[in-house]
Amino acid sequence: ECVFCRILKNPADDEKNFVLHRAGHNFVILNVYPYTSGHLMVVPLAHLSDLDAAEKAATDELMDLTKHCQKVLREIYRPDGINLGMNLGKAAGAGVAEHFHLHILPRWIGDANFMTAGGQTRTIPESLMTTYEKLKDRF
């Protein structure tokens, strides 16, 4: 059982698992290993490894939720840009290769820091719970 499927089984633990929104075909969650504050993921409810295996209704909703995430991140974090990304398969860098998901990350000019460049360690300026509190009422 994958991490996303485990999270889906317990709606009562949504806050503990940083689930921001459950929709008909997908859910929105904070990445617990974020590259930046506000690093979100849109994850299908269906346990699928490939985007082309998903139903059209699910991918349409995935893009609608992605657009909403972009809007919310712009309002809350005022980034200079947004990265969208999907790694399909282990060879492509997927951390959870068996359950595809789309990353949405706010980015700022010059947001790479010494820790990332020199120590291979990311630092973020706020806790996941702070990020969750900032975003949860927007969904």
Side-chain angles (χ1 to χ4, degrees):
E1 184 176 57
C2 82
V3 63
F4 299 132
C5 291
R6 264 195 312 277
I7 288 169
L8 282 170
K9 285 183 176 179
N10 283 316
D13 289 339
D14 279 359
E15 184 172 328
K16 181 179 105 177
N17 291 317
F18 305 110
V19 175
L20 291 163
H21 179 70
R22 288 175 181 255
H25 301 280
N26 299 273
F27 67 103
V28 179
I29 189 169
L30 293 182
N31 188 325
V32 297
Y33 302 105
Y35 290 109
T36 64
S37 295
H39 183 163
L40 304 177
M41 297 184 294
V42 180
V43 184
L45 302 178
H47 181 82
L48 301 169
S49 58
D50 290 310
L51 177 64
D52 61 359
E55 296 178 12
K56 181 171 176 20
T59 57
D60 287 352
E61 183 185 85
L62 181 135
M63 290 313 304
D64 288 343
L65 289 169
T66 300
K67 289 166 54 177
H68 184 74
C69 289
Q70 178 185 2
K71 178 183 172 191
V72 168
L73 290 172
R74 280 189 173 152
E75 290 171 1
I76 300 296
Y77 288 99
R78 307 228 180 267
D80 297 319
I82 303 277
N83 280 135
L84 300 177
M86 199 179 279
N87 302 320
L88 301 176
K90 200 162 254 337
V96 182
E98 68 274 11
H99 198 138
F100 81 84
H101 49 284
L102 178 69
H103 294 263
I104 304 107
L105 297 87
R107 298 300 304 266
W108 296 267
I109 293 171
D111 66 3
N113 62 40
F114 170 78
M115 290 297 291
T116 301
Q120 301 301 312
T121 303
R122 288 184 202 94
T123 59
I124 56 172
E126 67 186 16
S127 71
L128 288 172
M129 187 49 76
T130 299
T131 303
Y132 185 81
E133 292 294 327
K134 284 182 176 180
L135 298 175
K136 73 177 182 176
D137 292 334
R138 301 296 183 119
F139 289 90

Short mmCIF file of all heavy atoms in Angstrom, two decimals, residues 7-63:
data_model
loop_
_atom_site.label_atom_id
_atom_site.label_comp_id
_atom_site.label_asym_id
_atom_site.label_seq_id
_atom_site.Cartn_x
_atom_site.Cartn_y
_atom_site.Cartn_z
N ILE A 7 -3.12 7.54 3.35
CA ILE A 7 -3.68 8.83 3.76
C ILE A 7 -5.15 8.92 3.39
O ILE A 7 -5.97 9.42 4.17
CB ILE A 7 -2.86 9.98 3.13
CG1 ILE A 7 -1.50 10.07 3.81
CG2 ILE A 7 -3.62 11.30 3.20
CD1 ILE A 7 -0.50 10.97 3.11
N LEU A 8 -5.51 8.42 2.22
CA LEU A 8 -6.90 8.48 1.77
C LEU A 8 -7.85 7.70 2.66
O LEU A 8 -9.02 8.05 2.77
CB LEU A 8 -7.01 7.95 0.34
CG LEU A 8 -6.56 8.93 -0.74
CD1 LEU A 8 -6.48 8.23 -2.08
CD2 LEU A 8 -7.49 10.12 -0.80
N LYS A 9 -7.37 6.66 3.31
CA LYS A 9 -8.23 5.81 4.14
C LYS A 9 -8.69 6.48 5.43
O LYS A 9 -9.65 6.03 6.04
CB LYS A 9 -7.50 4.51 4.51
CG LYS A 9 -7.40 3.54 3.38
CD LYS A 9 -6.73 2.26 3.85
CE LYS A 9 -6.71 1.23 2.75
NZ LYS A 9 -6.05 0.01 3.17
N ASN A 10 -8.02 7.55 5.87
CA ASN A 10 -8.31 8.17 7.15
C ASN A 10 -8.62 9.66 7.04
O ASN A 10 -7.79 10.50 7.39
CB ASN A 10 -7.12 7.99 8.11
CG ASN A 10 -7.07 6.60 8.68
OD1 ASN A 10 -8.09 6.07 9.07
ND2 ASN A 10 -5.88 6.03 8.71
N PRO A 11 -9.82 10.03 6.59
CA PRO A 11 -10.17 11.45 6.51
C PRO A 11 -10.07 12.17 7.85
O PRO A 11 -9.80 13.37 7.89
CB PRO A 11 -11.61 11.45 5.99
CG PRO A 11 -11.82 10.10 5.40
CD PRO A 11 -10.88 9.16 6.09
N ALA A 12 -10.26 11.46 8.94
CA ALA A 12 -10.16 12.09 10.26
C ALA A 12 -8.75 12.59 10.54
O ALA A 12 -8.56 13.47 11.39
CB ALA A 12 -10.59 11.10 11.34
N ASP A 13 -7.76 12.06 9.83
CA ASP A 13 -6.36 12.48 10.02
C ASP A 13 -5.89 13.48 8.97
O ASP A 13 -4.68 13.68 8.79
CB ASP A 13 -5.45 11.25 9.98
CG ASP A 13 -5.60 10.37 11.20
OD1 ASP A 13 -6.08 10.86 12.24
OD2 ASP A 13 -5.24 9.18 11.11
N ASP A 14 -6.82 14.10 8.25
CA ASP A 14 -6.43 15.02 7.17
C ASP A 14 -5.51 16.14 7.66
O ASP A 14 -4.52 16.45 7.00
CB ASP A 14 -7.64 15.61 6.47
CG ASP A 14 -8.22 14.66 5.43
OD1 ASP A 14 -7.67 13.56 5.23
OD2 ASP A 14 -9.24 15.04 4.81
N GLU A 15 -5.80 16.74 8.80
CA GLU A 15 -4.93 17.82 9.29
C GLU A 15 -3.55 17.27 9.64
O GLU A 15 -2.53 17.86 9.27
CB GLU A 15 -5.55 18.50 10.51
CG GLU A 15 -4.73 19.68 10.99
CD GLU A 15 -5.42 20.50 12.06
OE1 GLU A 15 -6.66 20.58 12.06
OE2 GLU A 15 -4.69 21.05 12.91
N LYS A 16 -3.49 16.15 10.31
CA LYS A 16 -2.21 15.52 10.67
C LYS A 16 -1.40 15.17 9.43
O LYS A 16 -0.17 15.27 9.42
CB LYS A 16 -2.48 14.27 11.50
CG LYS A 16 -1.23 13.54 11.95
CD LYS A 16 -1.58 12.33 12.79
CE LYS A 16 -1.36 11.12 11.93
NZ LYS A 16 -1.58 9.85 12.57
N ASN A 17 -2.09 14.80 8.34
CA ASN A 17 -1.43 14.42 7.09
C ASN A 17 -1.32 15.58 6.11
O ASN A 17 -0.86 15.38 4.98
CB ASN A 17 -2.18 13.26 6.44
CG ASN A 17 -2.02 11.98 7.23
OD1 ASN A 17 -0.94 11.66 7.70
ND2 ASN A 17 -3.12 11.25 7.39
N PHE A 18 -1.76 16.77 6.52
CA PHE A 18 -1.67 17.99 5.71
C PHE A 18 -2.48 17.92 4.42
O PHE A 18 -2.09 18.49 3.41
CB PHE A 18 -0.20 18.34 5.41
CG PHE A 18 0.63 18.47 6.65
CD1 PHE A 18 1.60 17.53 6.97
CD2 PHE A 18 0.43 19.53 7.53
CE1 PHE A 18 2.36 17.65 8.13
CE2 PHE A 18 1.18 19.65 8.69
CZ PHE A 18 2.15 18.70 8.98
N VAL A 19 -3.63 17.22 4.47
CA VAL A 19 -4.56 17.21 3.33
C VAL A 19 -5.37 18.49 3.39
O VAL A 19 -6.06 18.77 4.37
CB VAL A 19 -5.49 15.98 3.37
CG1 VAL A 19 -6.52 16.05 2.25
CG2 VAL A 19 -4.68 14.69 3.28
N LEU A 20 -5.30 19.28 2.33
CA LEU A 20 -6.00 20.56 2.28
C LEU A 20 -7.40 20.44 1.70
O LEU A 20 -8.28 21.21 2.05
CB LEU A 20 -5.19 21.56 1.43
CG LEU A 20 -3.88 22.02 2.05
CD1 LEU A 20 -2.99 22.65 0.99
CD2 LEU A 20 -4.14 22.98 3.19
N HIS A 21 -7.58 19.47 0.78
CA HIS A 21 -8.88 19.38 0.09
C HIS A 21 -9.04 17.98 -0.51
O HIS A 21 -8.10 17.43 -1.07
CB HIS A 21 -8.92 20.44 -1.01
CG HIS A 21 -10.17 20.44 -1.82
ND1 HIS A 21 -11.38 20.84 -1.32
CD2 HIS A 21 -10.39 20.09 -3.10
CE1 HIS A 21 -12.30 20.74 -2.27
NE2 HIS A 21 -11.72 20.28 -3.36
N ARG A 22 -10.25 17.45 -0.39
CA ARG A 22 -10.63 16.20 -1.07
C ARG A 22 -11.71 16.55 -2.09
O ARG A 22 -12.72 17.14 -1.73
CB ARG A 22 -11.17 15.18 -0.08
CG ARG A 22 -10.10 14.58 0.82
CD ARG A 22 -10.74 13.67 1.86
NE ARG A 22 -9.75 13.11 2.76
CZ ARG A 22 -9.32 11.85 2.71
NH1 ARG A 22 -9.83 11.02 1.83
NH2 ARG A 22 -8.41 11.43 3.56
N ALA A 23 -11.49 16.18 -3.32
CA ALA A 23 -12.47 16.42 -4.39
C ALA A 23 -12.99 15.08 -4.88
O ALA A 23 -12.72 14.04 -4.28
CB ALA A 23 -11.81 17.22 -5.52
N GLY A 24 -13.71 15.08 -5.97
CA GLY A 24 -14.33 13.86 -6.49
C GLY A 24 -13.35 12.83 -7.00
O GLY A 24 -13.58 11.62 -6.89
N HIS A 25 -12.23 13.29 -7.60
CA HIS A 25 -11.26 12.38 -8.23
C HIS A 25 -9.83 12.55 -7.72
O HIS A 25 -8.96 11.76 -8.07
CB HIS A 25 -11.25 12.57 -9.75
CG HIS A 25 -12.56 12.33 -10.41
ND1 HIS A 25 -13.03 11.07 -10.70
CD2 HIS A 25 -13.53 13.19 -10.81
CE1 HIS A 25 -14.22 11.16 -11.27
NE2 HIS A 25 -14.54 12.43 -11.35
N ASN A 26 -9.58 13.62 -6.97
CA ASN A 26 -8.22 13.98 -6.56
C ASN A 26 -8.25 14.61 -5.17
O ASN A 26 -9.31 15.00 -4.68
CB ASN A 26 -7.62 15.02 -7.51
CG ASN A 26 -7.50 14.53 -8.93
OD1 ASN A 26 -6.53 13.92 -9.31
ND2 ASN A 26 -8.52 14.82 -9.75
N PHE A 27 -7.08 14.75 -4.57
CA PHE A 27 -6.97 15.53 -3.35
C PHE A 27 -5.72 16.40 -3.42
O PHE A 27 -4.81 16.15 -4.21
CB PHE A 27 -7.00 14.65 -2.10
CG PHE A 27 -5.84 13.72 -1.88
CD1 PHE A 27 -4.86 14.01 -0.96
CD2 PHE A 27 -5.74 12.52 -2.58
CE1 PHE A 27 -3.80 13.15 -0.72
CE2 PHE A 27 -4.69 11.65 -2.36
CZ PHE A 27 -3.71 11.97 -1.43
N VAL A 28 -5.72 17.46 -2.61
CA VAL A 28 -4.61 18.40 -2.55
C VAL A 28 -3.95 18.24 -1.18
O VAL A 28 -4.64 18.23 -0.15
CB VAL A 28 -5.08 19.86 -2.74
CG1 VAL A 28 -3.89 20.83 -2.64
CG2 VAL A 28 -5.82 20.03 -4.06
N ILE A 29 -2.63 18.12 -1.19
CA ILE A 29 -1.88 17.87 0.03
C ILE A 29 -0.57 18.65 0.01
O ILE A 29 -0.04 18.93 -1.07
CB ILE A 29 -1.62 16.34 0.16
CG1 ILE A 29 -1.03 15.97 1.51
CG2 ILE A 29 -0.77 15.82 -0.98
CD1 ILE A 29 -0.99 14.46 1.78
N LEU A 30 -0.08 19.00 1.19
CA LEU A 30 1.26 19.58 1.28
C LEU A 30 2.29 18.47 1.07
O LEU A 30 2.10 17.34 1.53
CB LEU A 30 1.52 20.18 2.66
CG LEU A 30 0.73 21.38 3.11
CD1 LEU A 30 1.20 21.81 4.50
CD2 LEU A 30 0.87 22.52 2.13
N ASN A 31 3.37 18.80 0.41
CA ASN A 31 4.50 17.88 0.32
C ASN A 31 5.22 17.93 1.66
O ASN A 31 5.62 19.00 2.11
CB ASN A 31 5.43 18.30 -0.81
CG ASN A 31 6.51 17.28 -1.09
OD1 ASN A 31 7.03 16.64 -0.18
ND2 ASN A 31 6.88 17.16 -2.34
N VAL A 32 5.38 16.79 2.33
CA VAL A 32 6.04 16.78 3.64
C VAL A 32 7.56 16.87 3.52
O VAL A 32 8.25 16.99 4.54
CB VAL A 32 5.62 15.56 4.51
CG1 VAL A 32 4.14 15.63 4.83
CG2 VAL A 32 6.00 14.26 3.86
N TYR A 33 8.09 16.84 2.30
CA TYR A 33 9.51 17.08 2.04
C TYR A 33 9.61 18.23 1.02
O TYR A 33 10.06 18.03 -0.11
CB TYR A 33 10.20 15.83 1.51
CG TYR A 33 10.09 14.65 2.45
CD1 TYR A 33 9.22 13.60 2.17
CD2 TYR A 33 10.82 14.62 3.63
CE1 TYR A 33 9.10 12.53 3.05
CE2 TYR A 33 10.70 13.55 4.51
CZ TYR A 33 9.85 12.52 4.21
OH TYR A 33 9.72 11.47 5.08
N PRO A 34 9.19 19.42 1.41
CA PRO A 34 9.04 20.51 0.44
C PRO A 34 10.37 21.09 -0.04
O PRO A 34 11.35 21.12 0.70
CB PRO A 34 8.26 21.57 1.22
CG PRO A 34 8.66 21.35 2.65
CD PRO A 34 8.82 19.85 2.77
N TYR A 35 10.37 21.55 -1.28
CA TYR A 35 11.49 22.32 -1.80
C TYR A 35 11.38 23.77 -1.36
O TYR A 35 12.38 24.45 -1.20
CB TYR A 35 11.53 22.26 -3.33
CG TYR A 35 11.91 20.91 -3.87
CD1 TYR A 35 10.98 20.10 -4.49
CD2 TYR A 35 13.22 20.46 -3.75
CE1 TYR A 35 11.34 18.85 -4.98
CE2 TYR A 35 13.59 19.21 -4.24
CZ TYR A 35 12.64 18.42 -4.85
OH TYR A 35 12.99 17.19 -5.33
N THR A 36 10.13 24.27 -1.22
CA THR A 36 9.87 25.63 -0.77
C THR A 36 8.62 25.61 0.10
O THR A 36 7.85 24.65 0.06
CB THR A 36 9.61 26.59 -1.95
OG1 THR A 36 8.41 26.19 -2.63
CG2 THR A 36 10.76 26.63 -2.94
N SER A 37 8.41 26.66 0.87
CA SER A 37 7.14 26.80 1.60
C SER A 37 6.01 26.88 0.58
O SER A 37 6.14 27.55 -0.44
CB SER A 37 7.15 28.07 2.45
OG SER A 37 8.13 27.98 3.46
N GLY A 38 4.93 26.19 0.85
CA GLY A 38 3.80 26.18 -0.08
C GLY A 38 3.87 25.11 -1.15
O GLY A 38 3.07 25.12 -2.08
N HIS A 39 4.80 24.16 -1.03
CA HIS A 39 4.94 23.08 -2.02
C HIS A 39 3.74 22.14 -1.89
O HIS A 39 3.61 21.41 -0.93
CB HIS A 39 6.24 22.34 -1.76
CG HIS A 39 6.57 21.26 -2.74
ND1 HIS A 39 7.83 20.75 -2.85
CD2 HIS A 39 5.81 20.57 -3.63
CE1 HIS A 39 7.85 19.80 -3.77
NE2 HIS A 39 6.62 19.67 -4.25
N LEU A 40 2.85 22.18 -2.87
CA LEU A 40 1.63 21.38 -2.88
C LEU A 40 1.73 20.24 -3.88
O LEU A 40 2.57 20.26 -4.78
CB LEU A 40 0.43 22.27 -3.27
CG LEU A 40 0.19 23.51 -2.43
CD1 LEU A 40 -0.99 24.30 -3.00
CD2 LEU A 40 -0.05 23.15 -0.98
N MET A 41 0.83 19.28 -3.71
CA MET A 41 0.68 18.20 -4.68
C MET A 41 -0.80 17.95 -4.90
O MET A 41 -1.59 17.99 -3.95
CB MET A 41 1.35 16.92 -4.20
CG MET A 41 2.84 17.03 -4.02
SD MET A 41 3.65 15.48 -3.55
CE MET A 41 2.95 15.20 -1.93
N VAL A 42 -1.18 17.70 -6.14
CA VAL A 42 -2.52 17.22 -6.48
C VAL A 42 -2.35 15.74 -6.81
O VAL A 42 -1.54 15.37 -7.67
CB VAL A 42 -3.14 17.99 -7.65
CG1 VAL A 42 -4.54 17.45 -7.96
CG2 VAL A 42 -3.20 19.48 -7.35
N VAL A 43 -3.11 14.91 -6.09
CA VAL A 43 -2.95 13.46 -6.17
C VAL A 43 -4.29 12.82 -6.52
O VAL A 43 -5.30 13.11 -5.89
CB VAL A 43 -2.46 12.90 -4.81
CG1 VAL A 43 -2.19 11.41 -4.90
CG2 VAL A 43 -1.24 13.65 -4.30
N PRO A 44 -4.33 11.95 -7.53
CA PRO A 44 -5.58 11.26 -7.84
C PRO A 44 -5.98 10.29 -6.72
O PRO A 44 -5.12 9.74 -6.03
CB PRO A 44 -5.29 10.49 -9.12
CG PRO A 44 -3.86 10.66 -9.43
CD PRO A 44 -3.24 11.58 -8.43
N LEU A 45 -7.26 10.10 -6.57
CA LEU A 45 -7.76 9.11 -5.63
C LEU A 45 -7.43 7.70 -6.11
O LEU A 45 -7.15 6.81 -5.31
CB LEU A 45 -9.26 9.25 -5.43
CG LEU A 45 -9.78 10.61 -4.94
CD1 LEU A 45 -11.30 10.60 -4.84
CD2 LEU A 45 -9.16 10.99 -3.60
N ALA A 46 -7.46 7.51 -7.42
CA ALA A 46 -7.16 6.20 -8.01
C ALA A 46 -5.67 5.92 -7.93
O ALA A 46 -4.84 6.79 -8.20
CB ALA A 46 -7.62 6.15 -9.47
N HIS A 47 -5.34 4.70 -7.54
CA HIS A 47 -3.94 4.27 -7.43
C HIS A 47 -3.45 3.90 -8.83
O HIS A 47 -3.60 2.76 -9.29
CB HIS A 47 -3.85 3.08 -6.47
CG HIS A 47 -2.46 2.58 -6.27
ND1 HIS A 47 -1.59 3.16 -5.38
CD2 HIS A 47 -1.78 1.57 -6.86
CE1 HIS A 47 -0.44 2.51 -5.42
NE2 HIS A 47 -0.53 1.55 -6.31
N LEU A 48 -2.85 4.88 -9.51
CA LEU A 48 -2.37 4.71 -10.88
C LEU A 48 -0.95 5.23 -10.98
O LEU A 48 -0.63 6.27 -10.41
CB LEU A 48 -3.25 5.49 -11.86
CG LEU A 48 -4.74 5.14 -11.90
CD1 LEU A 48 -5.50 6.17 -12.72
CD2 LEU A 48 -4.93 3.75 -12.48
N SER A 49 -0.13 4.55 -11.76
CA SER A 49 1.25 5.02 -11.93
C SER A 49 1.42 5.89 -13.16
O SER A 49 2.41 6.62 -13.27
CB SER A 49 2.21 3.83 -12.01
OG SER A 49 1.85 2.97 -13.07
N ASP A 50 0.47 5.85 -14.09
CA ASP A 50 0.61 6.58 -15.34
C ASP A 50 -0.54 7.54 -15.58
O ASP A 50 -1.71 7.19 -15.41
CB ASP A 50 0.69 5.61 -16.53
CG ASP A 50 1.99 4.84 -16.54
OD1 ASP A 50 3.06 5.49 -16.42
OD2 ASP A 50 1.95 3.60 -16.65
N LEU A 51 -0.20 8.74 -15.99
CA LEU A 51 -1.18 9.78 -16.29
C LEU A 51 -2.18 9.31 -17.35
O LEU A 51 -3.38 9.53 -17.22
CB LEU A 51 -0.46 11.04 -16.75
CG LEU A 51 -1.31 12.23 -17.18
CD1 LEU A 51 -2.12 12.76 -16.01
CD2 LEU A 51 -0.42 13.32 -17.77
N ASP A 52 -1.70 8.62 -18.36
CA ASP A 52 -2.59 8.21 -19.45
C ASP A 52 -3.55 7.09 -19.06
O ASP A 52 -4.45 6.75 -19.81
CB ASP A 52 -1.80 7.84 -20.71
CG ASP A 52 -0.83 6.68 -20.53
OD1 ASP A 52 -0.74 6.13 -19.41
OD2 ASP A 52 -0.16 6.33 -21.52
N ALA A 53 -3.40 6.54 -17.86
CA ALA A 53 -4.34 5.53 -17.36
C ALA A 53 -5.53 6.16 -16.63
O ALA A 53 -6.51 5.49 -16.35
CB ALA A 53 -3.62 4.55 -16.43
N ALA A 54 -5.44 7.44 -16.33
CA ALA A 54 -6.49 8.13 -15.58
C ALA A 54 -7.66 8.50 -16.49
O ALA A 54 -7.48 8.79 -17.68
CB ALA A 54 -5.93 9.39 -14.93
N GLU A 55 -8.85 8.50 -15.92
CA GLU A 55 -10.05 8.92 -16.65
C GLU A 55 -9.97 10.41 -16.95
O GLU A 55 -9.37 11.18 -16.20
CB GLU A 55 -11.30 8.65 -15.81
CG GLU A 55 -11.55 7.20 -15.52
CD GLU A 55 -12.78 7.00 -14.64
OE1 GLU A 55 -13.57 7.96 -14.44
OE2 GLU A 55 -12.94 5.88 -14.13
N LYS A 56 -10.64 10.82 -18.03
CA LYS A 56 -10.64 12.23 -18.42
C LYS A 56 -11.20 13.11 -17.31
O LYS A 56 -10.66 14.19 -17.03
CB LYS A 56 -11.43 12.42 -19.72
CG LYS A 56 -11.43 13.88 -20.17
CD LYS A 56 -12.02 14.03 -21.54
CE LYS A 56 -12.14 15.45 -22.04
NZ LYS A 56 -11.35 16.47 -21.46
N ALA A 57 -12.25 12.66 -16.64
CA ALA A 57 -12.83 13.46 -15.54
C ALA A 57 -11.79 13.71 -14.45
O ALA A 57 -11.74 14.79 -13.87
CB ALA A 57 -14.06 12.77 -14.98
N ALA A 58 -10.95 12.72 -14.19
CA ALA A 58 -9.93 12.86 -13.15
C ALA A 58 -8.84 13.84 -13.57
O ALA A 58 -8.39 14.66 -12.77
CB ALA A 58 -9.33 11.50 -12.81
N THR A 59 -8.40 13.76 -14.83
CA THR A 59 -7.35 14.67 -15.28
C THR A 59 -7.89 16.09 -15.48
O THR A 59 -7.17 17.06 -15.23
CB THR A 59 -6.65 14.16 -16.55
OG1 THR A 59 -7.62 13.96 -17.58
CG2 THR A 59 -5.90 12.87 -16.28
N ASP A 60 -9.14 16.22 -15.89
CA ASP A 60 -9.75 17.56 -15.97
C ASP A 60 -9.79 18.19 -14.58
O ASP A 60 -9.42 19.36 -14.41
CB ASP A 60 -11.17 17.49 -16.54
CG ASP A 60 -11.21 17.21 -18.04
OD1 ASP A 60 -10.14 17.22 -18.69
OD2 ASP A 60 -12.32 16.98 -18.55
N GLU A 61 -10.22 17.42 -13.59
CA GLU A 61 -10.28 17.94 -12.23
C GLU A 61 -8.87 18.22 -11.69
O GLU A 61 -8.66 19.23 -11.01
CB GLU A 61 -10.99 16.94 -11.31
CG GLU A 61 -11.14 17.45 -9.88
CD GLU A 61 -11.74 16.40 -8.98
OE1 GLU A 61 -10.96 15.57 -8.46
OE2 GLU A 61 -12.97 16.41 -8.80
N LEU A 62 -7.91 17.37 -12.02
CA LEU A 62 -6.53 17.59 -11.60
C LEU A 62 -6.04 18.95 -12.08
O LEU A 62 -5.43 19.72 -11.32
CB LEU A 62 -5.63 16.47 -12.12
CG LEU A 62 -4.16 16.55 -11.74
CD1 LEU A 62 -3.65 15.18 -11.30
CD2 LEU A 62 -3.33 17.05 -12.89
N MET A 63 -6.33 19.30 -13.33
CA MET A 63 -5.89 20.59 -13.86
C MET A 63 -6.67 21.74 -13.23
O MET A 63 -6.09 22.80 -12.95
CB MET A 63 -6.00 20.63 -15.39
CG MET A 63 -4.99 19.74 -16.10
SD MET A 63 -3.26 19.85 -15.52
CE MET A 63 -2.88 21.56 -15.68
#
